[in-house]
Amino acid sequence: MHQIIVDISISPEEWIKLYQGVAIDVRTTARDGRSVRFPARILSRFYLRDGVRGSFRIVFNEQGKFEYIERI
């Protein structure tokens, strides 16, 4: 399996746009410098009152399909 590590800081206001579908994907830079884009919905279980903040490991399979995400 492959993985990327990202540091994310999404404010509550930005999250509302993602939740309402105004924006669908999160675009960020992984710690290794790769530009990544993934569906915002995979972060929904990490949403708190102050938005989504933290470091996350995103794991995907050999075909590049999302497997799971975890907070690190």
Side-chain angles (χ1 to χ4, degrees):
M1 292 210 188
H2 300 280
Q3 67 180 8
I4 57 172
I5 296 177
V6 295
D7 299 307
I8 297 175
S9 179
I10 300 174
S11 71
E13 296 78 22
E14 291 172 317
W15 183 256
I16 288 171
K17 291 178 186 176
L18 293 167
Y19 183 79
Q20 293 175 336
V22 174
I24 298 170
D25 293 332
V26 172
R27 295 172 193 224
T28 190
T29 302
R31 285 188 182 173
D32 65 6
R34 288 184 283 177
S35 179
V36 295
R37 184 180 71 182
F38 54 88
R41 65 179 164 70
I42 71 171
L43 295 170
S44 60
R45 68 184 178 125
F46 301 106
Y47 176 77
L48 299 173
R49 191 171 26 147
D50 63 341
V52 178
R53 300 189 192 292
S55 298
F56 300 88
R57 176 180 294 117
I58 302 173
V59 178
F60 49 99
N61 64 23
E62 298 295 325
Q63 292 77 36
K65 300 290 182 181
F66 171 75
E67 290 286 321
Y68 65 91
I69 184 172
E70 62 186 354
R71 186 186 300 268
I72 54 172

